[in-house]
Amino acid sequence: MVMRSPVRLVRNTDAGRLFDTFLVSSIATVLLTRLYLSLTGFPQIGGESNLHIAHMLPGGLLMLTAILIMLGAVNRSSRDVSAFLGGIGFGLFWDELGKFITKDNDYFFRPTAGLIYLSFVGLYLLTRYVIRRSYHPQDYLANAIDLAMEGAIGELDPREYQRAQQLLAKADRSHPMYQATVQLLDHAKPTQAYTPFFVDRAVALIHKPFRRLVQRREFARALLTLFYIYGLALLCTLGILLFEGTSHPIAQLLANPTARSNSIAATSSIISSIYIIWGAWLLQHRHTLGALRRFETALLINIFITQVFLFFSYQFAATVALVVALFLLFSVRILLTETKSNNSKV
């Protein structure tokens, strides 16, 4: 007799989008919190009294709200709200990391910025691993049923209806509930007037100009110019890192954390530059998808390696370079999606 696991986790095919909402709102909350506190002189809630209400408290309340919404609601849009609120709550909570790992509750503990950034990198890699694992046919069936049920509350839009059919095509046809799900989906009527969650509307709005850009003849030239500029900025960063690294004797590299971090960041910047040159060469030979993938790899190396060590060396002063890298990665990901879609129509 085969023993079944006491907990069977039915994976959500929307997990990638929800994880991204959670991570983006978390990272944005940490950066905005640090920016606000820096501009206002780090005020304390509680004034001159003995009370000090740390911002981890509202963060915990927002995470609690997200959990209660998830427990009390069954519609899919509630998950978007939970991912958004939970991400803000976690960002407020995790921003206090320095207080949790020091004896004197030091919010300004120097390695905090690097540790926060490293934890987000780890969380991102973990979510990517979960997303890329293969789905079970029962997972596809359960997600198709979940989408079809949205028709009962008028939240099934045409795009989701089409996606439910695609999921059902990957399900096990011999499953006892397969035919019932087919009938359920046939009777589910897409809601033409349904308004998606504002995060989804924002994403769709952002995609529009990129979709138009991909279809223009000047697309390749504009993309090439953008990455030449980024490559030049990367070389400037490399020059600064090498200059600061050579200001320390070789014997002190192992003893000096900043010099050691700069050396690793400089090495990863060189690797990123190689991928940018590779991508530029592919773009010159009209291999747009290949070029975009090389540019994406260059940005991922920058974000997951270079920026980690820059944060350990320069703390939150490295935020500007990170924001630029994240914006470019976000743009390249959209361009990849739209380029694939445009090629499939040709």
Side-chain angles (χ1 to χ4, degrees), residues 43-47 49 51-55 58:
Q44 293 188 358
I45 301 176
S49 65
L51 295 176
H52 170 56
I53 303 175
H55 51 266

Side-chain angles (χ1 to χ4, degrees), residues 35-50:
L35 177 62
Y36 169 76
L37 293 176
S38 178
L39 292 176
T40 56
F42 295 90
Q44 293 188 358
I45 301 176
E48 300 296 330
S49 65
N50 293 328

Side-chain angles (χ1 to χ4, degrees), residues 50-187:
N50 293 328
L51 295 176
H52 170 56
I53 303 175
H55 51 266
M56 64 173 290
L57 180 60
L61 291 175
L62 283 172
M63 285 191 286
L64 173 63
T65 302
I67 292 171
L68 292 177
I69 291 174
M70 289 289 291
L71 293 176
V74 296
N75 58 317
R76 297 174 69 253
S77 58
S78 65
R79 299 170 196 165
D80 293 287
V81 176
S82 297
F84 183 68
L85 293 180
I88 296 175
F90 181 73
L92 290 172
F93 165 76
W94 205 235
D95 182 58
E96 302 263 23
L97 179 63
K99 293 183 177 181
F100 306 149
I101 57 179
T102 55
K103 290 183 178 180
D104 56 350
N105 296 327
D106 185 8
Y107 178 76
F108 303 100
F109 182 52
R110 183 173 177 83
T112 299
L115 291 172
I116 289 176
Y117 184 78
L118 195 59
S119 65
F120 279 126
V121 168
L123 189 57
Y124 175 84
L125 293 176
L126 176 63
T127 57
R128 293 307 104 177
Y129 170 74
V130 172
I131 293 167
R132 291 180 180 179
R133 292 188 64 190
S134 58
Y135 288 89
H136 193 276
Q138 291 181 359
D139 294 331
Y140 289 119
L141 182 62
N143 279 270
I145 294 173
D146 187 40
L147 280 165
M149 288 175 60
E150 295 293 292
I153 56 175
E155 291 192 0
L156 180 65
D157 63 24
R159 178 179 54 86
E160 291 176 329
Y161 182 78
Q162 182 181 6
R163 187 157 177 268
Q165 292 177 321
Q166 294 170 349
L167 291 170
L168 196 56
K170 298 177 181 179
D172 183 6
R173 294 176 179 270
S174 63
H175 194 282
M177 292 191 64
Y178 179 82
Q179 290 301 329
T181 306
V182 172
Q183 295 178 9
L184 177 63
L185 194 58
D186 287 340
H187 287 86

Side-chain angles (χ1 to χ4, degrees), residues 260-335:
R260 188 167 65 248
S261 295
N262 284 2
S263 299
I264 298 173
T267 303
S268 62
S269 295
I270 293 172
I271 298 173
S272 294
S273 300
I274 292 172
Y275 273 96
I276 288 176
I277 295 170
W278 189 1
W281 183 84
L282 287 173
L283 196 59
Q284 293 278 18
H285 290 77
R286 301 179 182 274
H287 299 299
T288 306
L289 278 175
L292 285 170
R293 290 193 179 100
R294 301 311 180 279
F295 291 152
E296 181 187 33
T297 302
L299 289 166
L300 289 173
I301 291 171
N302 182 275
I303 291 168
F304 289 145
I305 300 178
T306 308
Q307 294 298 327
V308 170
F309 291 98
L310 289 181
F311 265 76
F312 274 110
S313 295
Y314 305 104
Q315 301 186 58
F316 285 95
T319 299
V320 175
L322 173 62
V323 170
V324 172
L326 287 173
F327 172 76
L328 289 174
L329 179 63
F330 183 66
S331 301
V332 168
R333 288 270 172 87
I334 295 177
L335 289 172

